[in-house]
Short mmCIF file of all heavy atoms in Angstrom, two decimals:
data_model
loop_
_atom_site.label_atom_id
_atom_site.label_comp_id
_atom_site.label_asym_id
_atom_site.label_seq_id
_atom_site.Cartn_x
_atom_site.Cartn_y
_atom_site.Cartn_z
N TYR I 1 20.27 8.92 1.63
CA TYR I 1 20.26 9.59 2.93
C TYR I 1 19.61 8.78 4.05
O TYR I 1 19.58 9.22 5.20
CB TYR I 1 19.56 10.96 2.80
CG TYR I 1 20.20 11.81 1.73
CD1 TYR I 1 19.54 12.06 0.53
CD2 TYR I 1 21.46 12.35 1.91
CE1 TYR I 1 20.13 12.83 -0.47
CE2 TYR I 1 22.06 13.13 0.92
CZ TYR I 1 21.39 13.36 -0.27
OH TYR I 1 21.99 14.11 -1.25
N GLY I 2 19.10 7.61 3.73
CA GLY I 2 18.61 6.72 4.76
C GLY I 2 17.31 7.14 5.43
O GLY I 2 17.03 6.73 6.56
N TYR I 3 16.51 7.94 4.75
CA TYR I 3 15.23 8.33 5.32
C TYR I 3 14.29 7.12 5.38
O TYR I 3 14.46 6.14 4.65
CB TYR I 3 14.59 9.44 4.49
CG TYR I 3 15.38 10.72 4.46
CD1 TYR I 3 15.61 11.40 3.27
CD2 TYR I 3 15.90 11.26 5.64
CE1 TYR I 3 16.34 12.58 3.24
CE2 TYR I 3 16.63 12.45 5.62
CZ TYR I 3 16.85 13.09 4.41
OH TYR I 3 17.57 14.26 4.39
N SER I 4 13.29 7.22 6.23
CA SER I 4 12.29 6.16 6.34
C SER I 4 11.19 6.42 5.31
O SER I 4 10.66 7.53 5.23
CB SER I 4 11.68 6.14 7.75
OG SER I 4 12.67 5.88 8.72
N LEU I 5 10.87 5.39 4.54
CA LEU I 5 9.82 5.52 3.54
C LEU I 5 8.55 4.84 4.01
O LEU I 5 8.57 3.65 4.36
CB LEU I 5 10.26 4.89 2.21
CG LEU I 5 9.19 4.85 1.11
CD1 LEU I 5 8.80 6.26 0.68
CD2 LEU I 5 9.68 4.04 -0.08
N SER I 6 7.48 5.60 4.04
CA SER I 6 6.18 5.01 4.36
C SER I 6 5.63 4.38 3.09
O SER I 6 5.34 5.06 2.12
CB SER I 6 5.22 6.09 4.87
OG SER I 6 3.94 5.53 5.07
N VAL I 7 5.50 3.06 3.09
CA VAL I 7 4.99 2.34 1.93
C VAL I 7 3.47 2.41 1.94
O VAL I 7 2.82 2.03 2.92
CB VAL I 7 5.46 0.88 1.95
CG1 VAL I 7 4.89 0.12 0.75
CG2 VAL I 7 6.99 0.81 1.94
N SER I 8 2.90 2.90 0.85
CA SER I 8 1.45 3.03 0.75
C SER I 8 0.80 1.69 0.41
O SER I 8 1.44 0.78 -0.12
CB SER I 8 1.09 4.05 -0.32
OG SER I 8 1.58 5.33 0.01
N ALA I 9 -0.48 1.61 0.71
CA ALA I 9 -1.29 0.46 0.28
C ALA I 9 -2.09 0.87 -0.95
O ALA I 9 -2.47 2.04 -1.09
CB ALA I 9 -2.24 0.04 1.40
N THR I 10 -2.34 -0.07 -1.85
CA THR I 10 -3.10 0.24 -3.05
C THR I 10 -3.87 -0.99 -3.52
O THR I 10 -3.48 -2.13 -3.22
CB THR I 10 -2.19 0.73 -4.19
OG1 THR I 10 -2.99 1.07 -5.32
CG2 THR I 10 -1.19 -0.35 -4.61
N THR I 11 -4.92 -0.72 -4.27
CA THR I 11 -5.68 -1.82 -4.87
C THR I 11 -5.30 -2.03 -6.34
O THR I 11 -5.85 -2.92 -6.98
CB THR I 11 -7.20 -1.54 -4.79
OG1 THR I 11 -7.49 -0.31 -5.47
CG2 THR I 11 -7.65 -1.46 -3.34
N ARG I 12 -4.38 -1.24 -6.86
CA ARG I 12 -3.99 -1.44 -8.27
C ARG I 12 -3.10 -2.67 -8.39
O ARG I 12 -2.45 -3.07 -7.42
CB ARG I 12 -3.32 -0.20 -8.84
CG ARG I 12 -1.85 -0.01 -8.48
CD ARG I 12 -1.19 0.88 -9.52
NE ARG I 12 0.15 1.30 -9.16
CZ ARG I 12 1.24 0.55 -9.27
NH1 ARG I 12 1.14 -0.71 -9.66
NH2 ARG I 12 2.43 1.04 -8.96
N ALA I 13 -3.05 -3.23 -9.59
CA ALA I 13 -2.22 -4.42 -9.83
C ALA I 13 -0.75 -4.04 -9.86
O ALA I 13 -0.39 -2.94 -10.30
CB ALA I 13 -2.62 -5.05 -11.16
N PRO I 14 0.12 -4.92 -9.38
CA PRO I 14 1.57 -4.63 -9.42
C PRO I 14 2.07 -4.51 -10.86
O PRO I 14 1.63 -5.24 -11.75
CB PRO I 14 2.19 -5.87 -8.75
CG PRO I 14 1.08 -6.52 -7.99
CD PRO I 14 -0.18 -6.21 -8.75
N ARG I 15 2.97 -3.56 -11.08
CA ARG I 15 3.66 -3.48 -12.36
C ARG I 15 4.83 -4.47 -12.35
O ARG I 15 5.22 -4.98 -11.29
CB ARG I 15 4.18 -2.06 -12.60
CG ARG I 15 3.08 -1.03 -12.76
CD ARG I 15 3.64 0.36 -13.08
NE ARG I 15 2.59 1.36 -13.17
CZ ARG I 15 2.64 2.56 -12.58
NH1 ARG I 15 3.68 2.90 -11.87
NH2 ARG I 15 1.62 3.40 -12.72
N GLU I 16 5.36 -4.74 -13.52
CA GLU I 16 6.48 -5.68 -13.62
C GLU I 16 7.64 -5.25 -12.73
O GLU I 16 8.08 -4.10 -12.77
CB GLU I 16 6.97 -5.78 -15.07
CG GLU I 16 8.05 -6.82 -15.28
CD GLU I 16 8.48 -6.95 -16.72
OE1 GLU I 16 7.83 -6.31 -17.59
OE2 GLU I 16 9.43 -7.69 -16.99
N GLY I 17 8.11 -6.18 -11.89
CA GLY I 17 9.24 -5.91 -11.01
C GLY I 17 8.86 -5.38 -9.65
O GLY I 17 9.70 -5.33 -8.74
N GLU I 18 7.60 -4.98 -9.47
CA GLU I 18 7.18 -4.47 -8.16
C GLU I 18 6.94 -5.62 -7.18
O GLU I 18 6.46 -6.68 -7.57
CB GLU I 18 5.91 -3.63 -8.30
CG GLU I 18 6.15 -2.30 -9.00
CD GLU I 18 4.92 -1.42 -9.05
OE1 GLU I 18 3.80 -1.96 -9.07
OE2 GLU I 18 5.08 -0.19 -9.10
N VAL I 19 7.29 -5.37 -5.93
CA VAL I 19 7.20 -6.41 -4.88
C VAL I 19 6.28 -5.91 -3.78
O VAL I 19 6.39 -4.75 -3.33
CB VAL I 19 8.59 -6.73 -4.31
CG1 VAL I 19 8.48 -7.75 -3.17
CG2 VAL I 19 9.51 -7.25 -5.41
N ASP I 20 5.40 -6.78 -3.32
CA ASP I 20 4.49 -6.44 -2.22
C ASP I 20 5.29 -6.09 -0.98
O ASP I 20 6.18 -6.83 -0.56
CB ASP I 20 3.57 -7.63 -1.93
CG ASP I 20 2.54 -7.29 -0.86
OD1 ASP I 20 1.90 -6.24 -0.97
OD2 ASP I 20 2.40 -8.08 0.10
N GLY I 21 4.99 -4.93 -0.38
CA GLY I 21 5.70 -4.49 0.81
C GLY I 21 6.90 -3.61 0.51
O GLY I 21 7.47 -3.01 1.42
N ARG I 22 7.31 -3.55 -0.75
CA ARG I 22 8.44 -2.69 -1.12
C ARG I 22 7.93 -1.44 -1.83
O ARG I 22 8.04 -0.33 -1.29
CB ARG I 22 9.42 -3.44 -2.02
CG ARG I 22 10.72 -2.64 -2.30
CD ARG I 22 11.66 -3.44 -3.17
NE ARG I 22 11.12 -3.64 -4.53
CZ ARG I 22 11.70 -4.41 -5.43
NH1 ARG I 22 12.78 -5.10 -5.13
NH2 ARG I 22 11.16 -4.53 -6.65
N GLU I 23 7.36 -1.59 -3.03
CA GLU I 23 6.76 -0.43 -3.71
C GLU I 23 5.42 -0.05 -3.09
O GLU I 23 5.14 1.12 -2.85
CB GLU I 23 6.57 -0.73 -5.20
CG GLU I 23 7.84 -0.65 -6.03
CD GLU I 23 8.71 -1.89 -5.91
OE1 GLU I 23 8.21 -2.92 -5.42
OE2 GLU I 23 9.89 -1.83 -6.31
N TYR I 24 4.59 -1.07 -2.84
CA TYR I 24 3.27 -0.88 -2.23
C TYR I 24 2.90 -2.15 -1.46
O TYR I 24 3.48 -3.21 -1.67
CB TYR I 24 2.18 -0.67 -3.31
CG TYR I 24 2.19 0.66 -3.99
CD1 TYR I 24 2.82 0.83 -5.23
CD2 TYR I 24 1.52 1.76 -3.44
CE1 TYR I 24 2.81 2.05 -5.88
CE2 TYR I 24 1.51 2.99 -4.10
CZ TYR I 24 2.15 3.13 -5.31
OH TYR I 24 2.13 4.34 -5.94
N TYR I 25 1.93 -1.98 -0.57
CA TYR I 25 1.22 -3.14 -0.05
C TYR I 25 0.01 -3.33 -0.97
O TYR I 25 -0.89 -2.48 -1.00
CB TYR I 25 0.74 -2.91 1.39
CG TYR I 25 1.88 -2.79 2.39
CD1 TYR I 25 2.19 -1.57 2.99
CD2 TYR I 25 2.65 -3.90 2.73
CE1 TYR I 25 3.23 -1.45 3.89
CE2 TYR I 25 3.70 -3.80 3.63
CZ TYR I 25 3.97 -2.57 4.21
OH TYR I 25 5.01 -2.45 5.10
N PHE I 26 0.01 -4.39 -1.73
CA PHE I 26 -1.06 -4.61 -2.70
C PHE I 26 -2.24 -5.31 -2.02
O PHE I 26 -2.09 -6.39 -1.46
CB PHE I 26 -0.53 -5.42 -3.88
CG PHE I 26 0.51 -4.68 -4.67
CD1 PHE I 26 1.85 -4.96 -4.51
CD2 PHE I 26 0.13 -3.69 -5.57
CE1 PHE I 26 2.82 -4.27 -5.23
CE2 PHE I 26 1.09 -2.98 -6.29
CZ PHE I 26 2.44 -3.27 -6.12
N LYS I 27 -3.41 -4.65 -2.05
CA LYS I 27 -4.59 -5.13 -1.35
C LYS I 27 -5.75 -5.32 -2.33
O LYS I 27 -5.83 -4.66 -3.36
CB LYS I 27 -5.03 -4.11 -0.28
CG LYS I 27 -3.96 -3.74 0.73
CD LYS I 27 -3.67 -4.88 1.69
CE LYS I 27 -2.67 -4.45 2.76
NZ LYS I 27 -2.32 -5.57 3.66
N THR I 28 -6.64 -6.22 -1.95
CA THR I 28 -7.91 -6.27 -2.66
C THR I 28 -8.75 -5.08 -2.19
O THR I 28 -8.45 -4.46 -1.16
CB THR I 28 -8.66 -7.57 -2.37
OG1 THR I 28 -9.04 -7.58 -0.98
CG2 THR I 28 -7.80 -8.79 -2.68
N THR I 29 -9.80 -4.78 -2.94
CA THR I 29 -10.67 -3.66 -2.53
C THR I 29 -11.29 -3.93 -1.16
O THR I 29 -11.37 -3.03 -0.32
CB THR I 29 -11.77 -3.44 -3.58
OG1 THR I 29 -11.16 -3.12 -4.83
CG2 THR I 29 -12.69 -2.31 -3.17
N ASP I 30 -11.71 -5.17 -0.91
CA ASP I 30 -12.30 -5.51 0.38
C ASP I 30 -11.30 -5.34 1.52
O ASP I 30 -11.64 -4.83 2.59
CB ASP I 30 -12.83 -6.95 0.36
CG ASP I 30 -14.10 -7.10 -0.45
OD1 ASP I 30 -14.73 -6.07 -0.75
OD2 ASP I 30 -14.46 -8.24 -0.79
N GLU I 31 -10.06 -5.77 1.29
CA GLU I 31 -9.02 -5.63 2.32
C GLU I 31 -8.76 -4.16 2.62
O GLU I 31 -8.62 -3.76 3.78
CB GLU I 31 -7.73 -6.31 1.87
CG GLU I 31 -7.79 -7.82 1.85
CD GLU I 31 -6.56 -8.44 1.21
OE1 GLU I 31 -5.88 -7.75 0.42
OE2 GLU I 31 -6.29 -9.62 1.49
N PHE I 32 -8.68 -3.36 1.56
CA PHE I 32 -8.41 -1.94 1.72
C PHE I 32 -9.51 -1.25 2.51
O PHE I 32 -9.25 -0.51 3.48
CB PHE I 32 -8.25 -1.28 0.36
CG PHE I 32 -7.73 0.13 0.42
CD1 PHE I 32 -6.38 0.38 0.21
CD2 PHE I 32 -8.58 1.20 0.66
CE1 PHE I 32 -5.90 1.68 0.26
CE2 PHE I 32 -8.11 2.49 0.72
CZ PHE I 32 -6.76 2.74 0.53
N LEU I 33 -10.75 -1.48 2.12
CA LEU I 33 -11.87 -0.81 2.78
C LEU I 33 -12.04 -1.27 4.22
O LEU I 33 -12.52 -0.52 5.07
CB LEU I 33 -13.16 -1.05 1.98
CG LEU I 33 -13.17 -0.41 0.58
CD1 LEU I 33 -14.46 -0.74 -0.15
CD2 LEU I 33 -12.98 1.10 0.67
N SER I 34 -11.62 -2.49 4.51
CA SER I 34 -11.64 -2.97 5.89
C SER I 34 -10.67 -2.16 6.75
O SER I 34 -10.99 -1.78 7.89
CB SER I 34 -11.26 -4.46 5.95
OG SER I 34 -11.22 -4.92 7.28
N LEU I 35 -9.49 -1.85 6.21
CA LEU I 35 -8.53 -1.02 6.93
C LEU I 35 -9.06 0.40 7.11
O LEU I 35 -8.81 1.04 8.14
CB LEU I 35 -7.19 -1.00 6.18
CG LEU I 35 -6.35 -2.26 6.29
CD1 LEU I 35 -5.20 -2.23 5.29
CD2 LEU I 35 -5.81 -2.43 7.71
N VAL I 36 -9.79 0.90 6.13
CA VAL I 36 -10.41 2.21 6.27
C VAL I 36 -11.36 2.22 7.46
O VAL I 36 -11.36 3.13 8.28
CB VAL I 36 -11.18 2.60 4.98
CG1 VAL I 36 -12.02 3.86 5.21
CG2 VAL I 36 -10.22 2.80 3.82
N ASP I 37 -12.15 1.16 7.57
CA ASP I 37 -13.12 1.05 8.67
C ASP I 37 -12.44 1.03 10.03
O ASP I 37 -13.00 1.50 11.02
CB ASP I 37 -13.98 -0.21 8.49
CG ASP I 37 -14.93 -0.12 7.31
OD1 ASP I 37 -15.21 1.02 6.87
OD2 ASP I 37 -15.38 -1.17 6.82
N TYR I 38 -11.25 0.47 10.09
CA TYR I 38 -10.51 0.35 11.35
C TYR I 38 -9.57 1.53 11.60
O TYR I 38 -8.71 1.47 12.47
CB TYR I 38 -9.72 -0.95 11.40
CG TYR I 38 -10.58 -2.16 11.71
CD1 TYR I 38 -11.08 -2.96 10.69
CD2 TYR I 38 -10.91 -2.49 13.03
CE1 TYR I 38 -11.88 -4.06 10.97
CE2 TYR I 38 -11.71 -3.59 13.31
CZ TYR I 38 -12.18 -4.38 12.28
OH TYR I 38 -12.97 -5.47 12.56
N ASN I 39 -9.71 2.61 10.81
CA ASN I 39 -8.89 3.81 10.96
C ASN I 39 -7.41 3.50 10.80
O ASN I 39 -6.55 4.07 11.47
CB ASN I 39 -9.14 4.48 12.33
CG ASN I 39 -8.67 5.93 12.37
OD1 ASN I 39 -8.68 6.62 11.34
ND2 ASN I 39 -8.24 6.38 13.53
N GLY I 40 -7.12 2.57 9.89
CA GLY I 40 -5.74 2.14 9.69
C GLY I 40 -4.92 3.04 8.79
O GLY I 40 -3.72 2.81 8.62
N PHE I 41 -5.54 4.08 8.22
CA PHE I 41 -4.82 4.99 7.32
C PHE I 41 -4.84 6.41 7.87
O PHE I 41 -5.85 6.87 8.41
CB PHE I 41 -5.45 5.00 5.93
CG PHE I 41 -5.38 3.69 5.21
CD1 PHE I 41 -6.53 3.01 4.85
CD2 PHE I 41 -4.16 3.12 4.90
CE1 PHE I 41 -6.47 1.80 4.17
CE2 PHE I 41 -4.08 1.90 4.23
CZ PHE I 41 -5.23 1.24 3.87
N ILE I 42 -3.72 7.11 7.71
CA ILE I 42 -3.69 8.54 7.99
C ILE I 42 -4.54 9.27 6.95
O ILE I 42 -5.27 10.21 7.26
CB ILE I 42 -2.25 9.08 7.95
CG1 ILE I 42 -1.42 8.47 9.07
CG2 ILE I 42 -2.23 10.61 8.05
CD1 ILE I 42 0.05 8.84 9.00
N GLU I 43 -4.41 8.83 5.72
CA GLU I 43 -5.20 9.38 4.62
C GLU I 43 -5.36 8.29 3.57
O GLU I 43 -4.57 7.37 3.48
CB GLU I 43 -4.52 10.62 4.01
CG GLU I 43 -3.13 10.38 3.47
CD GLU I 43 -3.10 9.74 2.13
OE1 GLU I 43 -4.01 10.02 1.33
OE2 GLU I 43 -2.18 8.95 1.85
#
C-alpha cells in the first residue's frame, strides 16, 4: 500500500540480513543517548 515506515533506532546488534537504515538505524549506546539528549526521538 505504499505507506511510509518510520525506521526505529536501536542499540541491539543486527540480525543476519538486516541492513542499517532499512530494518533499524543501528546505534551504539553513546550515540543513542546523545540523540535522547537532543530530543531527537518522539519516544
Side-chain angles (χ1 to χ4, degrees):
Y1 305 108
Y3 297 134
S4 299
L5 174 64
S6 175
V7 178
S8 297
T10 183
T11 59
R12 79 157 171 79
R15 295 183 183 134
E16 184 177 354
E18 289 184 332
V19 177
D20 184 48
R22 187 179 67 187
E23 283 79 15
Y24 287 96
Y25 293 110
F26 294 101
K27 304 289 185 183
T28 66
T29 299
D30 287 344
E31 289 172 338
F32 190 98
L33 295 178
S34 178
L35 285 168
V36 171
D37 290 340
Y38 282 96
N39 198 30
F41 296 118
I42 294 174
E43 59 79 34

